[in-house]
Amino acid sequence: MFEGYRTFDIAYGDIRIHGRIGGSGPPLLLLHGHPQTHLIWHRLADSLALHYTVVATDLRGYGDSSKPAGEPDHASYSKRAMAADQVAVMHDLGFERFFLCGHDRGGRVAHRLVMDHPEAVEKLMLLDIAPTLAMYEKTDRTFATAYFHWFFLIQPAPLPETLIEASPADYITRTMGGRHANLDAFDPAAIAEYQRCLAQPGAAHALCEDYRASNTIDLEHDGTDREAGRRIACPVRVLWGQHGIIERCFDPLAEWRAVAERVEGEALPCGHYIPEEVPSALHDHILQFMKTA
């Protein structure tokens, strides 16, 4: 996995972001989702490195990156703070402007990153999400049942943390294995790594704070953008799983066109975990979309 990549830990202030960099060509930042780490990209990282300088990081609170304590307003896990982490990492690596692809939570960080730092992103790819504000506003019983964790993780500490910490390994397998692809889609070594990381001190709390922020301060930031008429200016491609809950409950192209100027995309023959379920299809989409011309 990640053959030829260099591991890094970049710190600024009290935050340290862990990740890997490899390849050559235009810079491409890859951001993972819940409850995973940068390892989600392992099935296409080597081939992408033939075309791009690939940077794959662990988001704040995940993997081997810092896990700061939550704050009353959850600002330390706002997507604004998490996006600023990634811009700082890319600047430290020498990249002022880059391509960006985010899955799940990483997609939400990517959304905030292009709003707060529009000059930094050439093109944006989002995997299996609709905008956070739209998803909360249009929640129904089908969505709440399938994405129960959205409402479990935002409960006041320490209830969800206590339950996750009782068996972090089981949280990983039941959460990931309970979707369309079951556990068959995942490399056992990747599952073991996700389990190791969630078992670290503070990891369950960080995971919950990520979701608490999305239900509070992130909605404030998104609402402010909507009231001001601010939209994503760079080209956007949205991909989602035809067997997933985004397909079932939302119109992802319509939702992203409500907040972005130029949006295209389609469903792929998979469930939620696109990078691990259909890596070849995703690889082809990245190469086709992330062109400098």
Side-chain angles (χ1 to χ4, degrees):
M1 296 182 181
F2 291 90
E3 183 178 353
Y5 278 67
R6 173 175 63 86
T7 299
F8 63 78
D9 289 275
I10 293 176
Y12 73 100
D14 296 329
I15 299 298
R16 176 183 49 79
I17 299 298
H18 177 79
R20 303 193 203 208
I21 181 172
S24 61
L28 169 62
L29 174 61
L30 304 175
L31 302 179
H32 68 87
H34 158 276
Q36 301 166 286
T37 73
H38 75 276
L39 209 65
I40 72 166
W41 310 104
H42 71 92
R43 286 180 171 157
L44 63 162
D46 291 349
S47 57
L48 286 177
L50 299 175
H51 307 274
Y52 302 97
T53 300
V54 178
V55 179
T57 63
D58 292 340
L59 297 172
R60 173 191 298 218
Y62 290 85
D64 289 312
S65 289
S66 292
K67 300 167 181 63
E71 299 172 339
D73 64 354
H74 313 296
S76 56
Y77 286 90
S78 70
K79 302 309 152 296
R80 173 159 289 161
M82 295 170 82
D85 292 342
Q86 302 303 319
V87 171
V89 165
M90 294 302 280
H91 285 183
D92 190 89
L93 294 172
F95 305 123
E96 299 299 318
R97 189 168 174 85
F98 47 88
F99 294 107
L100 178 59
C101 178
H103 173 254
D104 188 75
R105 310 309 292 177
R108 304 192 190 285
V109 174
H111 180 192
R112 177 46 50 194
L113 195 157
V114 297
M115 296 303 296
D116 288 359
H117 309 274
E119 74 289 345
V121 179
E122 190 79 34
K123 293 183 180 180
L124 171 64
M125 183 174 286
L126 298 166
L127 305 181
D128 210 61
I129 64 167
T132 305
L133 184 57
M135 290 177 71
Y136 271 117
E137 289 181 339
K138 298 180 180 180
T139 290
D140 61 12
R141 186 173 68 178
T142 299
F143 173 69
T145 300
Y147 272 33
F148 74 94
H149 61 286
W150 272 44
F151 309 97
F152 164 62
L153 297 173
I154 65 175
Q155 298 307 307
L159 174 60
E161 287 94 333
T162 300
L163 297 178
I164 293 169
E165 288 169 352
S167 183
D170 198 46
Y171 182 85
I172 293 291
T173 55
R174 290 185 179 273
T175 298
M176 296 178 61
R179 304 214 191 191
H180 166 74
N182 302 309
L183 287 176
D184 298 338
F186 306 103
D187 188 312
I191 291 290
E193 178 66 2
Y194 304 148
Q195 291 172 324
R196 177 190 73 81
C197 290
L198 188 55
Q200 294 178 2
H205 176 63
L207 186 151
C208 294
E209 284 295 300
D210 172 17
Y211 281 80
R212 290 174 183 136
S214 281
N215 186 49
T216 54
I217 191 169
D218 292 343
L219 295 182
E220 296 175 12
H221 295 157
D222 291 348
T224 298
D225 286 339
R226 182 164 67 181
E227 291 171 5
R230 287 191 290 269
R231 294 159 59 82
I232 299 172
C234 71
V236 179
R237 179 170 293 186
V238 182
L239 303 173
W240 65 95
Q242 68 183 51
H243 303 296
I245 198 67
I246 298 298
E247 166 80 11
R248 194 182 318 164
C249 293
F250 304 97
D251 182 342
L253 289 181
E255 298 296 351
W256 284 109
R257 284 170 178 158
V259 300
E261 299 293 339
R262 293 174 284 173
V263 180
E264 60 184 57
E266 63 183 56
L268 299 180
C270 62
H272 176 62
Y273 297 100
I274 293 173
E276 288 164 293
E277 292 183 53
V278 286
S280 294
L282 176 57
H283 174 271
D284 291 346
H285 270 279
I286 290 175
L287 262 59
Q288 191 279 328
F289 179 63
M290 303 292 192
K291 296 177 180 177
T292 55

